[in-house]
Amino acid sequence: MMIPIAFPEPTFTVRAAPGPAMIRDMIRKKFVMLTPEEWVRQNFIHYLIKVKHYPTGLLSVEKELRLGTMRKRYDLLVYKNDTPWMMIECKEQATKINASVLDQILRYNMSLPVQYLVLTNGAETYCIERDGKSGRLLQAIPDYQDIA
């Protein structure tokens, strides 16, 4: 079931010139290239913080993980009690959330097991609660108060 997401009013700092557009990432505390995928990631970060009340200190953005000998990067990770708890895969709005995107986050989940997997392109969002080898689609992203 797709989850409707009402992103909060953007309060981003964007630099348009000179050079390519850059957006300030409040988690990484630096400006990063403003790509269509980055726009979705930044909106989702602000949604988690402003709507779902997740503390910024529990969020990790674009860190490396290993899949066998391959090096990959997750988009967004939420920690609970110092343990990876939720992984979010962000795609640009033009990318459909499909089996290929699900396969990608499931591969990442083998290397970095979490309880919740979120797939989003900004327009479509899905949240899966993992329980061992199975999972179920949720109707909403958990609020921070519900997990603390």
Side-chain angles (χ1 to χ4, degrees):
M1 167 184 289
M2 189 171 70
I3 299 171
I5 300 286
F7 289 116
E9 191 66 31
T11 55
F12 309 121
T13 303
V14 176
R15 290 194 313 213
M22 305 288 280
I23 188 167
R24 179 139 173 82
D25 182 315
M26 67 187 305
I27 305 301
R28 293 178 277 184
K29 296 179 174 34
K30 67 179 185 177
F31 280 90
V32 295
M33 182 108 44
L34 180 53
T35 63
E37 182 176 311
E38 192 62 46
W39 181 253
V40 171
R41 182 173 23 252
Q42 292 305 315
N43 272 283
F44 207 84
I45 288 169
H46 282 250
Y47 170 77
L48 289 175
I49 293 166
K50 294 178 180 177
V51 176
K52 295 295 183 175
H53 310 290
Y54 284 61
T56 58
L58 299 183
L59 304 178
S60 173
V61 180
E62 283 208 308
K63 298 278 171 87
E64 185 177 285
L65 60 89
R66 290 187 180 261
L67 296 174
T69 58
M70 295 187 304
R71 292 179 174 184
K72 299 290 183 178
R73 287 183 161 287
Y74 60 75
D75 282 319
L76 187 55
L77 194 66
V78 179
Y79 286 85
K80 176 183 174 185
N81 301 325
D82 296 327
T83 302
W85 177 77
M86 176 187 288
M87 187 182 308
I88 298 116
E89 179 60 32
C90 300
K91 297 294 183 189
E92 64 181 79
Q93 283 192 333
T95 301
K96 289 299 242 179
I97 302 299
N98 58 23
S100 174
V101 177
L102 178 60
D103 287 345
Q104 178 184 357
I105 201 168
L106 288 173
R107 282 191 309 274
Y108 290 3
N109 188 234
M110 288 188 311
S111 175
L112 190 62
V114 295
Q115 184 176 354
Y116 293 94
L117 301 172
V118 177
L119 311 164
T120 188
N121 65 7
E124 297 176 85
T125 301
Y126 300 91
C127 182
I128 301 164
E129 183 177 20
R130 303 272 297 153
D131 183 18
K133 294 200 181 279
S134 65
R136 68 182 178 102
L137 281 172
L138 300 181
Q139 296 180 3
I141 307 263
D143 286 323
Y144 178 70
Q145 301 89 286
D146 298 336
I147 65 146

